[in-house]
C-alpha cells in the first residue's frame, strides 16, 4: 500500500483526485495541502511514499517547494501534476528534484500509470514533453566545417552579421556598400549551408567565432 | 552683335569680380574699402599738389629771374658803354651771389662779343646763340635742356639794345628739389593716414563682426537643438536689433520645444499606462482561465475517470470517454487561449523560455521554418517591462511575417552587445520599401516602434522589395532597473 500526499490549491480537484486514487487497491491518500507551507509540514509528519504536487499553489510556487519537500521527506517520490506544458517548467522541476511530470489535461488517462512508474523508481514525463526535452541532446546533423573555404571578406561580414550588426553598420565599418555586404553575406551563408541569421548565430557559437572584441 | 558680345563679357567679368569680392569676409571688405579710399585720396592729392607746386614755383622763379635780368641789364648799361669790364664782371658775380638759382650770367655787346661772363674758364659752346632778343622786346626766354637739368635762359636788351644784351640762366634744380621734398612728405602722410585708417577699420570690423560671428555660432547651436543660449547685446544698432530678434526666436523655440517635450512625455506616460493596463488585464484573464476554469475542468475530467472506473456498463463507459474527450479538448483550447493572452512562462520563467515557446507554436501553426538563437540570454531575469516589450515585439514581428511576408524561412536572434539588448527578426519574404512606412499594412511596425520608444529602444528596418525584411530592435540595458520597475511594472 503506497501512501500519497495531495498538494493542490483547488479543493474540488483534490476531492476528485482522492476519489480516483482511493479507488485503486494499492493506493491510499494520507493527507492534503493547499499551500507549500502546509505541504512541507504534512510531508514531515506523514513521510508519504509519493507527493502529488501542483506547480501553482496559493501564495507560492510549487517549483520552489520541491527542494523543501525533498528535504522534509527524503524517501518520498515527487510527481508534478500541472497545467503548464512548457518544457522550461519540466526542466526546472526535474532540476529541483521531481521524479515525474504529468499534465492535468491528461490526468484522467496517465495519472495512475505515472504514479505507479514513479513509485517503481522510474522517471515519468508526459510523452509530448519528452520529445522537446530531448531535442537538445539528440545529435544534430553536423556539416563539415566549410568556414575555411570562405574568403576573408565573407568571414568578416558573417561574423558581424552574427554579432547582430545591421547591414548599414557593417557597410560603414568595412567601407563597403550595403549591397556588397548583402552579396558577401548571401554567398558566405550559401557556402556554409545556413538558411537564416539565427542559424548563422548558432553556427558561430558552435565554432566559437563570437569571441568578444 | 558687338554690343551683345560686350554685355556678355561685362557680365562675365562682373561675375568674376563678385566671386572674388563675395568670397572674402566682411573684415577684408571694409579694410579694402578704407585702404582704397586713403590711397586714392593720398595719390590724387599728391599729384595735384605736385602739379600746382611745380607751376607756381616755376612762375615765381621765372618772374624773379626776369626781374633780376632786367635789373642787371639796367645796371650794366653804363658799365657796358664805358667798357668797364671789371665792373661788369663784379656786377655779374654780385647778381649771381644774391640769387642762388642763377646758374650763370653774361653780357654780349652790340657787336655780339661776350664781354663778361660768370663761367670761370671756357664759355659753353653754342650758349651765346641759344637765345637772343630784339631791341623793342621786353625780354625773351628759352628753355635749355642741358646736362645739369632744365635751365631758363633769359635775354634782356641793354639800353634798348644799343649797348648789347644781358643774359641770365635760371636753374630749375632747386624747384625740383622742393617739389620732391613736398611730394615725399605727402606720401609719408598718406601712408600714415592709411595705417591709422587700417587700424580704425580693423577696430570697426571687429565691432561689427564680433556680434555677427556670435550670432552665427548661436544659430548653429539652435540648429543642433540647443535652445538655451542667448546672444549678448552689444550696441543699439541694427545688429543689436537682430540680436534681440534672435534671442526672442530662441526663447520661442525653447518654449515650443519644452511644450512639445511635455506633450510627448504625457503621451508616452499615457501609452505606457494603457499598455500596462492591457497587460495586467490579459494576465488576470489568463490566470483566471488557467487557474479556476482549467482546474474545474480537470476536476471534471478526473471525476469522469472515477465514474468510468466504478461502472462496468460498456454503454456508459463509451459516453464517459466521449465526454472526457470533449473536456480534454476544451482544456487544451483554454490553455492555448490563456497562453495567447499572456503566457505564464514569461512571468515564471522569463523571456528566453517564453520566446522559445512562442516560436515553437508559430512553427506548428504556420508551417514556416523559424530559426531561433538567443546566445546571450540565460535564465537571469530582465526588467519585466523590457521582457514584456521584447516578447510582444517578437510576437508582432512574427505575426507580420506570417501574414504579409510570403516567406519560407524566418529567424529570431536576441543578442546582448555593448550594454544593449538587440532583437533581430528576419525573413526571406517579399520585403518592402521602408521609406513608405505609413501604409495600413505596416501598423504592426509602427506599434513595434512605439513600444520600443517607450523603453528608450529603437527600431531599425532594413528591407527592399524582393529581398526580405530585417527588423532590429535595440534596447539599452540599464545598470539599475529599480525605478523603472516601479513605473512600468507590467510583468509581475
Amino acid at each position: 500500500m503506497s501512501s500519497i500526499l495531495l498538494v493542490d490549491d483547488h479543493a474540488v480537484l483534490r476531492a476528485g483526485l482522492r476519489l480516483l486514487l482511493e479507488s485503486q487497491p494499492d493506493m491510499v491518500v494520507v493527507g492534503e495541502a493547499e499551500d507549500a507551507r502546509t505541504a512541507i509540514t504534512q510531508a514531515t509528519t506523514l513521510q508519504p511514499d509519493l507527493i502529488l504536487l501542483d506547480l501553482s499553489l496559493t501564495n507560492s510556487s510549487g517549483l520552489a517547494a520541491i527542494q523543501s519537500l525533498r528535504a522534509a521527506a527524503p524517501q518520498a517520490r515527487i510527481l508534478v501534476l500541472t497545467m503548464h506544458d512548457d518544457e522550461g517548467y519540466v526542466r526546472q522541476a526535474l532540476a529541483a528534484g521531481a521524479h515525474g511530470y504529468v499534465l492535468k489535461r491528461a490526468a484522467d488517462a496517465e495519472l495512475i500509470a505515472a504514479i505507479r512508474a514513479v513509485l517503481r523508481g522510474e522517471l515519468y514525463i508526459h510523452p509530448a514533453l519528452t520529445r522537446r526535452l530531448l531535442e537538445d541532446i539528440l545529435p544534430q546533423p553536423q556539416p563539415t566545417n566549410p568556414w575555411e573555404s570562405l574568403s576573408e571578406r565573407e568571414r568578416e561580414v558573417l561574423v558581424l552579421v552574427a554579432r547582430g550588426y545591421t547591414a548599414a553598420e557593417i557597410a560603414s565599418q568595412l567601407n563597403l556598400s550595403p549591397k556588397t555586404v548583402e552579396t558577401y553575406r548571401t554567398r558566405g551563408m550559401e557556402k556554409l549551408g545556413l538558411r537564416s541569421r539565427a542559424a548563422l548565430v548558432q553556427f558561430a557559437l558552435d565554432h566559437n567565432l563570437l569571441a568578444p572584441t | 552683335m558687338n554690343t551683345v558680345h560686350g554685355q556678355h563679357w561685362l557680365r562675365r567679368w562682373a561675375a568674376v569680380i563678385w566671386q572674388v569680392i563675395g568670397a572674402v569676409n566682411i573684415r577684408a571688405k571694409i579694410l579694402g574699402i578704407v585702404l582704397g579710399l586713403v590711397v586714392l585720396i593720398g595719390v590724387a592729392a599728391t599729384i595735384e599738389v605736385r602739379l600746382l607746386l611745380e607751376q607756381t614755383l616755376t612762375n615765381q622763379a621765372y618772374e624773379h629771374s626776369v626781374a633780376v635780368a632786367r635789373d642787371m641789364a639796367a645796371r650794366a648799361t653804363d658799365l657796358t658803354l664805358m667798357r668797364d669790364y671789371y665792373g661788369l664782371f663784379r656786377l655779374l658775380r654780385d647778381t649771381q651771389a644774391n640769387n642762388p638759382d642763377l646758374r650763370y650770367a653774361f653780357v654780349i655787346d652790340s657787336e655780339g662779343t661776350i664781354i663778361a661772363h660768370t663761367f670761370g674758364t671756357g664759355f659753353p659752346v653754342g650758349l651765346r646763340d641759344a637765345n637772343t632778343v630784339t631791341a623793342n622786346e621786353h625780354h625773351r626766354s628759352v628753355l635749355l635742356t642741358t646736362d645739369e637739368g632744365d635751365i631758363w635762359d633769359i635775354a634782356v636788351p641793354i639800353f634798348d639794345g644799343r649797348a648789347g644784351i644781358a643774359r641770365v640762366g635760371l636753374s630749375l634744380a632747386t624747384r625740383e628739389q622742393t617739389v620732391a621734398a613736398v611730394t615725399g612728405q605727402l606720401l609719408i602722410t598718406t601712408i600714415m593716414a592709411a595705417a591709422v585708417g587700417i587700424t580704425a577699420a580693423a577696430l570697426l570690423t571687429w565691432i561689427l563682426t564680433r556680434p555677427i560671428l556670435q550670432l552665427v555660432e548661436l544659430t548653429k547651436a539652435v540648429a543642433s537643438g540647443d535652445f538655451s543660449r542667448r546672444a549678448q547685446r552689444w550696441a543699439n544698432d541694427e545688429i543689436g536689433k537682430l540680436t534681440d530678434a534672435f534671442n526672442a526666436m530662441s526663447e520661442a523655440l525653447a518654449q515650443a520645444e519644452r511644450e512639445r517635450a511635455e506633450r510627448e512625455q504625457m503621451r508616452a506616460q499615457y501609452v505606457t499606462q494603457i499598455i500596462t493596463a492591457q497587460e495586467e488585464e490579459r494576465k488576470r484573464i489568463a490566470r483566471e482561465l488557467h487557474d479556476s476554469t482549467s482546474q474545474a475542468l480537470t476536476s471534471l475530467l478526473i471525476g469522469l475517470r472515477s465514474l468510468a472506473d466504478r461502472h462496468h456498463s460498456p454503454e456508459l463507459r463509451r459516453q464517459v470517454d466521449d465526454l472526457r474527450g470533449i473536456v480534454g479538448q476544451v482544456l487544451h483550447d483554454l490553455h492555448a487561449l490563456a497562453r495567447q493572452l499572456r503566457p505564464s512562462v514569461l512571468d515564471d520563467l522569463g523571456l528566453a523560455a517564453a520566446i522559445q515557446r512562442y516560436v515553437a507554436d508559430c512553427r506548428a501553426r504556420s508551417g514556416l521554418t523559424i530559426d531561433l538563437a538567443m546566445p546571450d540570454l540565460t535564465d537571469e531575469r530582465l526588467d519585466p517591462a523590457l521582457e514584456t516589450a521584447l516578447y510582444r515585439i517578437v510576437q508582432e514581428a512574427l505575426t507580420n511575417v506570417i501574414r504579409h511576408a510570403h516567406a519560407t524561412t524566418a529567424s529570431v536572434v536576441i543578442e546582448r552587445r555593448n550594454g544593449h539588448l538587440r532583437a533581430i527578426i528576419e525573413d526571406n519574404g517579399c520585403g518592402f520599401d521602408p521609406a513608405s512606412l505609413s501604409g495600413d499594412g505596416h501598423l504592426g511596425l509602427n506599434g513595434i516602434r512605439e513600444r520600443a520608444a517607450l523603453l528608450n529602444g529603437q527600431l531599425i528596418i532594413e528591407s527592399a522589395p524582393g529581398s526580405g525584411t530585417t527588423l532590429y530592435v535595440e534596447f539599452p540595458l540599464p545598470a539599475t532597473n529599480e525605478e523603472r520597475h516601479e513605473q512600468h511594472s507590467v510583468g509581475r
Side-chain angles (χ1 to χ4, degrees):
Chain A
M1 195 58 103
S2 307
S3 54
I4 297 174
L5 173 63
L6 294 182
V7 187
D8 197 301
D9 57 346
H10 283 76
V12 185
L13 185 63
R14 284 203 306 274
L17 284 172
R18 182 185 276 271
L19 208 64
L20 179 69
L21 298 183
E22 301 252 278
S23 69
Q24 304 300 315
D26 52 346
M27 295 177 195
V28 59
V29 175
V30 294
E32 293 179 22
E34 60 174 3
D35 58 45
R37 230 174 34 165
T38 323
I40 291 162
T41 323
Q42 297 259 40
T44 314
T45 49
L46 299 170
Q47 292 295 322
D49 296 319
L50 184 131
I51 302 171
L52 197 57
L53 177 69
D54 188 4
L55 284 186
S56 27
L57 299 175
T58 320
N59 302 327
S60 67
S61 149
L63 275 177
I66 294 179
Q67 276 180 337
S68 313
L69 286 173
R70 293 276 290 156
Q75 89 296 339
R77 318 290 291 170
I78 295 178
L79 179 62
V80 172
L81 175 66
T82 179
M83 300 295 307
H84 298 297
D85 59 352
D86 301 283
E87 70 266 30
Y89 290 100
V90 186
R91 246 185 261 278
Q92 291 207 359
L94 292 183
H99 301 90
Y101 198 98
V102 178
L103 292 182
K104 281 188 175 169
R105 67 165 190 260
D108 57 331
E110 287 175 20
L111 185 58
I112 302 299
I115 289 175
R116 293 233 163 80
V118 166
L119 281 172
R120 277 198 305 274
E122 295 165 13
L123 215 55
Y124 184 94
I125 294 163
H126 179 68
L129 298 175
T130 329
R131 162 109 198 126
R132 281 191 220 142
L133 266 185
L134 292 181
E135 253 166 16
D136 286 354
I137 55 168
L138 290 174
Q140 303 287 325
Q142 282 285 331
T144 51
N145 181 4
W147 184 246
E148 303 303 323
S149 70
L150 263 54
S151 76
E152 187 61 29
R153 267 288 192 239
E154 286 165 355
R155 279 187 235 171
E156 276 176 336
V157 168
L158 286 193
V159 165
L160 290 176
V161 170
R163 284 219 179 96
Y165 288 91
T166 68
E169 284 167 345
I170 297 171
S172 78
Q173 202 166 328
L174 298 182
N175 271 327
L176 298 170
S177 79
K179 201 138 189 87
T180 318
V181 168
E182 200 51 47
T183 310
Y184 280 124
R185 180 190 154 171
T186 312
R187 213 160 57 198
M189 302 237 316
E190 252 167 40
K191 284 189 191 172
L192 295 179
L194 299 171
R195 63 189 179 194
S196 71
R197 181 188 283 262
L200 173 65
V201 171
Q202 197 55 52
F203 177 91
L205 280 179
D206 295 343
H207 293 80
N208 208 19
L209 301 175
L210 297 184
T213 43
Chain B
M1 199 63 193
N2 257 340
T3 40
V4 171
H5 232 95
Q7 276 180 357
H8 177 70
W9 274 101
L10 207 65
R11 219 173 294 149
R12 268 188 62 170
W13 274 107
V16 168
I17 291 171
W18 176 241
Q19 247 178 12
V20 173
I21 295 179
V24 298
N25 55 32
I26 291 183
R27 184 168 302 207
K29 283 192 186 91
I30 293 184
L31 283 183
I33 290 169
V34 169
L35 197 63
L37 271 179
V38 169
V39 168
L40 201 67
I41 291 174
V43 169
T46 306
I47 292 171
E48 182 69 21
V49 165
R50 202 186 146 95
L51 284 174
L52 274 174
L53 194 65
E54 239 171 25
Q55 209 178 348
T56 313
L57 284 180
T58 308
N59 285 345
Q60 271 180 4
Y62 181 78
E63 278 160 20
H64 181 63
S65 305
V66 171
V68 166
R70 285 193 63 82
D71 179 54
M72 195 180 80
R75 284 162 64 186
T77 311
D78 290 349
L79 295 172
T80 313
L81 290 174
M82 287 187 297
R83 302 268 162 192
D84 181 356
Y85 297 142
Y86 179 66
L88 215 48
F89 178 67
R90 278 191 51 193
L91 175 64
L92 297 185
R93 287 284 298 273
D94 289 349
T95 307
Q96 193 179 22
N98 289 334
N99 295 280
D101 288 346
L102 223 54
R103 175 64 187 84
Y104 58 82
F106 60 92
V107 177
I108 308 171
D109 68 7
S110 49
E111 274 86 46
T113 315
I114 299 164
I115 51 175
H117 64 82
T118 53
F119 299 100
T121 58
F123 190 85
V125 184
L127 179 59
R128 196 196 67 173
D129 302 328
N131 193 10
T132 184
V133 68
T134 53
N136 48 1
E137 272 179 313
H138 182 268
H139 70 274
R140 182 180 288 183
S141 58
V142 170
L143 184 64
L144 302 178
T145 305
T146 73
D147 50 0
E148 292 177 21
D150 290 351
I151 288 176
W152 278 109
D153 186 287
I154 298 160
V156 177
I158 303 174
F159 195 39
D160 295 338
R162 279 167 286 181
I165 297 168
R167 302 260 300 269
V168 296
L170 177 73
S171 163
L172 295 178
T174 322
R175 181 207 63 170
E176 270 154 20
Q177 277 171 11
T178 310
V179 170
V182 169
T183 309
Q185 195 59 47
L186 272 175
L187 282 178
I188 290 173
T189 310
T190 304
I191 290 170
M192 279 169 59
V196 172
I198 286 173
T199 314
L203 192 70
L204 183 71
T205 51
W206 182 74
I207 290 172
L208 272 178
T209 53
R210 197 182 147 147
I212 293 179
L213 291 178
Q214 190 199 11
L215 281 176
V216 168
E217 196 190 323
L218 288 189
T219 310
K220 281 181 188 158
V222 166
S224 65
D226 177 7
F227 302 129
S228 64
R229 292 171 62 187
R230 296 286 174 274
Q232 194 188 340
R233 204 172 193 284
W234 285 78
N236 198 18
D237 55 5
E238 290 89 335
I239 294 176
K241 282 175 194 154
L242 177 61
T243 309
D244 286 346
F246 182 88
N247 284 343
M249 182 196 71
S250 292
E251 182 55 47
L253 281 176
Q255 180 64 28
E257 174 61 22
R258 272 195 298 275
E259 282 167 10
R260 195 198 61 76
E262 254 168 47
R263 273 200 307 278
E264 178 57 29
Q265 201 192 347
M266 275 173 62
R267 196 191 65 86
Q269 267 176 9
Y270 183 60
V271 174
T272 306
Q273 277 171 9
I274 290 179
I275 289 181
T276 310
Q278 186 193 32
E279 290 291 342
E280 287 295 344
E281 187 64 14
R282 284 180 173 184
K283 190 153 92 180
R284 200 183 61 74
I285 297 172
R287 281 234 185 280
E288 192 65 27
L289 288 178
H290 216 271
D291 292 354
S292 306
T293 320
S294 296
Q295 306 290 358
L297 285 173
T298 306
S299 309
L300 191 60
L301 210 56
I302 289 169
L304 286 173
R305 170 68 194 261
S306 306
L307 190 68
D309 281 357
R310 265 176 287 144
H311 294 82
H312 301 287
S313 140
E315 176 65 10
L316 184 77
R317 285 192 80 130
R318 204 179 48 74
Q319 278 186 10
V320 168
D321 280 351
D322 285 351
L323 286 176
R324 274 169 57 195
I326 293 170
V327 174
Q329 188 56 48
V330 170
L331 255 177
H332 183 268
D333 293 349
L334 264 185
H335 197 59
L337 179 62
R339 198 165 58 234
Q340 225 175 321
L341 279 170
R342 183 175 171 91
S344 52
V345 192
L346 185 57
D347 298 315
D348 295 345
L349 300 181
L351 183 65
I355 286 184
Q356 239 157 20
R357 181 60 202 259
Y358 181 73
V359 167
D361 282 354
C362 269
R363 282 187 198 124
R365 194 149 42 83
S366 66
L368 189 68
T369 301
I370 308 175
D371 289 335
L372 174 66
M374 300 182 285
D376 306 315
L377 275 194
T378 49
D379 286 342
E380 102 184 86
R381 301 303 301 272
L382 304 165
D383 176 5
L386 181 59
E387 288 195 330
T388 304
L390 261 169
Y391 179 80
R392 294 294 183 206
I393 285 169
V394 170
Q395 200 176 22
E396 183 66 48
L398 282 180
T399 307
N400 272 350
V401 172
I402 293 166
R403 273 196 205 145
H404 307 297
H406 309 295
T408 57
T409 304
S411 105
V412 177
V413 175
I414 298 181
E415 285 179 300
R416 196 191 276 249
R417 184 158 52 82
N418 302 336
H420 284 74
L421 199 64
R422 192 175 251 201
I424 308 165
I425 300 100
E426 195 167 79
D427 68 69
N428 65 350
C430 57
F432 63 96
D433 178 9
S436 65
L437 247 186
S438 47
D440 295 342
H442 303 299
L443 271 179
L445 288 180
N446 289 331
I448 290 174
R449 194 188 298 282
E450 187 89 327
R451 266 203 187 262
L454 290 177
L455 295 179
N456 300 319
Q458 59 163 344
L459 166 69
I460 301 170
I461 302 167
E462 284 188 343
S463 179
S467 67
T469 303
T470 310
L471 305 185
Y472 304 82
V473 188
E474 186 173 80
F475 290 99
L477 282 176
T480 53
N481 291 346
E482 302 310 316
E483 301 136 42
R484 290 236 307 250
H485 250 249
E486 281 152 28
Q487 272 183 16
H488 305 285
S489 185
V490 173
R492 298 250 114 183

